[in-house]
Amino acid sequence: MILKELKLTNFISHKNTKITFGPGITVIIGHNGAGKSSILDAIYFALFKESSRGNLDDLIHRGERYMEVDLTFSIGNRTYHVFRRKKKGKGKTTESKLSDITEGVITLERTPDGATKKIEELIGLNKDLFKNAIYIQQGEIDALLEKGKTAARKKLIGRLLGLDSFEVAYEKMKDVIAYFDSQYNDCLLYTSD
């Protein structure tokens, strides 16, 4: 996935911001509180209709009644546009629209959950894997770079790739596997008598 353009209206500290991403690596520089992290939050919200900050109303600029995020991105030779709008207030749903804009505008989804599901299919990542990949704490980066800490590096990479959930599932399955092994062995003993 290649980001093309991000537009923010009343999103956290961004009253009206437009960012055009050029080819290659983009570096975002600014003072603390300038809105650097909220750019990542906006991309996460646009793709998955969720916030790493918790309540979606916390994403609405103080004093405003709504916020909007427009994200344009490409995958291969296709270009997509996702629009999300959230009005302030509990129970207020998020408006969403996902379109393929490669050759004109073809609306792919209009429901929030439908747009999220389609985006997950398009980019090949779910929200948890995406979040783990972009929200790396500074100490975690240091752990990846330090020599001699193989176990810590393995654990961190496993978490970033979502492999830790498979390990937890496997640990829980050990009891189930042991139970069926004992049932199978009991059947063998019973049939051999």
Side-chain angles (χ1 to χ4, degrees):
M1 176 176 78
I2 298 173
L3 301 176
K4 298 288 191 177
E5 186 176 83
L6 178 67
K7 295 179 191 172
L8 308 174
T9 305
N10 300 330
F11 189 89
I12 307 176
S13 60
H14 296 271
K15 189 86 171 114
N16 188 8
T17 301
K18 178 181 173 183
I19 301 168
T20 302
F21 298 95
I25 296 172
T26 300
V27 178
I28 301 168
I29 300 170
H31 297 288
N32 287 343
K36 300 177 303 290
S37 296
S38 59
I39 292 168
L40 295 176
D41 290 330
I43 294 166
Y44 185 66
F45 174 75
L47 296 173
F48 303 106
K49 190 197 70 164
E50 290 199 11
S51 169
S52 65
R53 298 175 186 235
N55 186 346
L56 293 181
D57 279 355
D58 293 342
L59 301 177
I60 300 172
H61 187 77
R62 187 174 294 128
E64 299 298 335
R65 298 178 55 191
Y66 74 97
M67 60 84 167
E68 295 176 350
V69 176
D70 285 273
L71 177 65
T72 304
F73 61 96
S74 65
I75 299 172
N77 60 354
R78 311 294 305 173
T79 302
Y80 301 93
H81 175 258
V82 61
F83 168 81
R84 306 265 193 186
R85 176 186 173 106
K86 170 73 173 91
K87 293 180 183 175
K88 192 170 225 154
K90 190 173 182 176
K92 300 281 185 178
T93 59
T94 304
E95 298 173 36
S96 298
K97 183 178 177 183
L98 174 65
S99 304
D100 182 331
I101 60 169
T102 307
E103 300 165 5
V105 178
I106 301 169
T107 301
L108 303 175
E109 274 296 337
R110 287 190 179 272
T111 67
D113 291 338
T116 300
K117 184 177 179 185
K118 184 67 177 173
I119 289 168
E120 287 176 341
E121 291 171 13
L122 290 169
I123 66 174
L125 292 173
N126 66 27
K127 64 181 176 158
D128 295 326
L129 288 175
F130 186 86
K131 187 161 90 172
N132 284 340
I134 69 168
Y135 290 106
I136 300 174
Q137 301 294 325
Q138 185 170 350
E140 294 174 330
I141 293 171
D142 292 342
L144 278 175
L145 300 176
E146 284 183 25
K147 293 182 181 179
K149 298 203 175 188
T150 308
R153 187 177 307 120
K154 179 182 173 187
K155 184 176 179 179
L156 178 58
I157 291 171
R159 185 185 66 76
L160 292 174
L161 297 176
L163 300 177
D164 54 341
S165 58
F166 289 113
E167 288 183 29
V168 169
Y170 180 73
E171 287 298 319
K172 289 181 179 180
M173 287 300 296
K174 283 183 178 179
D175 292 337
V176 174
I177 292 168
Y179 171 78
F180 282 107
D181 278 345
S182 71
Q183 293 295 315
Y184 176 73
N185 290 332
D186 288 348
C187 284
L188 288 178
L189 289 174
Y190 181 74
T191 57
S192 64
D193 287 344

